[in-house]
Coordinates of all heavy atoms in Angstrom, one line a residue:
M106 N -2.2 -18.0 74.1 CA -2.2 -18.3 72.7 C -1.9 -17.1 71.8 O -1.2 -17.2 70.8 CB -3.5 -19.0 72.3 CG -3.6 -19.6 70.9 SD -2.5 -21.0 70.6 CE -3.3 -22.4 71.2
I231 N -9.5 -19.6 70.1 CA -8.8 -18.4 69.5 C -7.8 -18.8 68.5 O -7.2 -19.9 68.6 CB -8.2 -17.6 70.6 CG1 -7.9 -16.2 70.2 CG2 -6.9 -18.3 71.2 CD1 -7.4 -15.3 71.4
N232 N -7.5 -17.9 67.6 CA -6.4 -18.2 66.6 C -5.0 -17.9 67.2 O -4.9 -17.2 68.2 CB -6.6 -17.4 65.3 CG -6.6 -15.9 65.5 OD1 -7.5 -15.4 66.1 ND2 -5.5 -15.3 65.0
C233 N -4.0 -18.6 66.7 CA -2.7 -18.3 67.2 C -2.0 -17.3 66.2 O -2.6 -16.9 65.2 CB -1.9 -19.6 67.3 SG -1.6 -20.4 65.6
E234 N -0.7 -17.1 66.4 CA 0.0 -16.1 65.5 C 0.0 -16.5 64.1 O 0.2 -15.7 63.2 CB 1.4 -16.0 66.0 CG 2.1 -17.3 66.0 CD 3.5 -17.3 66.5 OE1 4.3 -16.4 66.3 OE2 3.9 -18.3 67.3
H235 N -0.2 -17.8 63.8 CA -0.2 -18.3 62.3 C -1.5 -18.0 61.6 O -1.5 -18.1 60.4 CB 0.3 -19.8 62.3 CG 1.6 -20.0 62.8 ND1 2.7 -19.7 62.0 CD2 2.1 -20.5 63.9 CE1 3.9 -20.0 62.8 NE2 3.4 -20.5 63.9
N236 N -2.5 -17.7 62.4 CA -3.8 -17.3 61.9 C -4.4 -18.3 60.8 O -4.7 -18.0 59.8 CB -3.6 -15.9 61.2 CG -4.9 -15.2 61.1 OD1 -5.9 -15.6 61.8 ND2 -5.0 -14.1 60.3
T237 N -4.3 -19.5 61.2 CA -4.9 -20.6 60.4 C -6.1 -21.2 61.1 O -6.1 -22.4 61.3 CB -3.8 -21.7 60.1 OG1 -3.3 -22.1 61.4 CG2 -2.7 -21.2 59.2
G238 N -7.0 -20.5 61.5 CA -8.2 -21.0 62.2 C -8.0 -20.9 63.7 O -6.9 -20.4 64.2
M239 N -9.1 -21.2 64.5 CA -9.0 -21.0 65.9 C -8.8 -22.3 66.6 O -9.5 -23.3 66.3 CB -10.4 -20.4 66.4 CG -10.7 -19.0 65.7 SD -12.3 -18.3 66.3 CE -13.5 -19.3 65.4
H240 N -7.8 -22.4 67.5 CA -7.6 -23.5 68.4 C -8.7 -23.6 69.4 O -9.1 -22.5 69.9 CB -6.3 -23.4 69.1 CG -5.1 -23.6 68.2 ND1 -4.6 -24.9 67.8 CD2 -4.3 -22.6 67.7 CE1 -3.6 -24.6 67.0 NE2 -3.3 -23.4 66.9
E294 N -1.9 -30.5 61.6 CA -1.4 -29.8 62.8 C -1.0 -28.4 62.4 O -0.6 -28.1 61.3 CB -0.2 -30.6 63.2 CG -0.6 -31.7 64.2 CD 0.5 -32.4 64.8 OE1 1.6 -31.9 64.8 OE2 0.2 -33.6 65.3
C295 N -1.1 -27.6 63.4 CA -0.8 -26.1 63.2 C 0.7 -25.9 63.3 O 1.4 -26.6 64.1 CB -1.5 -25.3 64.2 SG -1.2 -23.5 64.0
K296 N 1.3 -25.0 62.6 CA 2.7 -24.7 62.6 C 3.1 -24.3 64.1 O 4.4 -24.4 64.3 CB 3.0 -23.6 61.6 CG 3.2 -24.0 60.2 CD 3.6 -22.9 59.3 CE 2.4 -22.2 58.8 NZ 2.7 -21.0 57.9
C297 N 2.2 -23.8 64.8 CA 2.6 -23.3 66.2 C 2.9 -24.5 67.1 O 3.5 -24.3 68.2 CB 1.5 -22.5 66.8 SG 0.1 -23.4 67.3
G298 N 2.6 -25.8 66.7 CA 2.9 -26.9 67.5 C 1.9 -27.2 68.6 O 2.1 -28.2 69.3
S299 N 0.8 -26.4 68.7 CA -0.2 -26.7 69.7 C -0.9 -28.0 69.4 O -1.2 -28.3 68.3 CB -1.2 -25.5 69.8 OG -2.3 -25.9 70.5
F301 N -3.9 -28.6 70.4 CA -5.3 -28.3 70.3 C -5.8 -28.2 68.8 O -5.2 -27.5 68.0 CB -5.6 -27.1 71.1 CG -5.5 -27.3 72.6 CD1 -4.4 -26.7 73.3 CD2 -6.4 -28.1 73.3 CE1 -4.3 -26.9 74.7 CE2 -6.3 -28.3 74.7 CZ -5.2 -27.8 75.3
R303 N -8.3 -27.3 65.5 CA -8.7 -25.9 65.1 C -10.0 -26.0 64.3 O -10.3 -27.1 63.6 CB -7.6 -25.4 64.1 CG -6.4 -24.9 64.8 CD -5.3 -24.7 63.7 NE -4.9 -25.9 63.0 CZ -4.3 -26.0 61.8 NH1 -4.0 -24.8 61.2 NH2 -4.0 -27.2 61.3
Ligands
LIG1 ZN1 -1.5 -22.6 66.0

Side-chain angles (χ1 to χ4, degrees):
M106 186 64 82
I231 194 166
N232 60 292
C233 67
E234 58 184 318
H235 296 285
N236 203 11
T237 53
M239 300 182 282
H240 290 279
E294 278 185 15
C295 183
K296 277 185 269 177
C297 73
S299 166
F301 290 107
R303 288 167 296 160

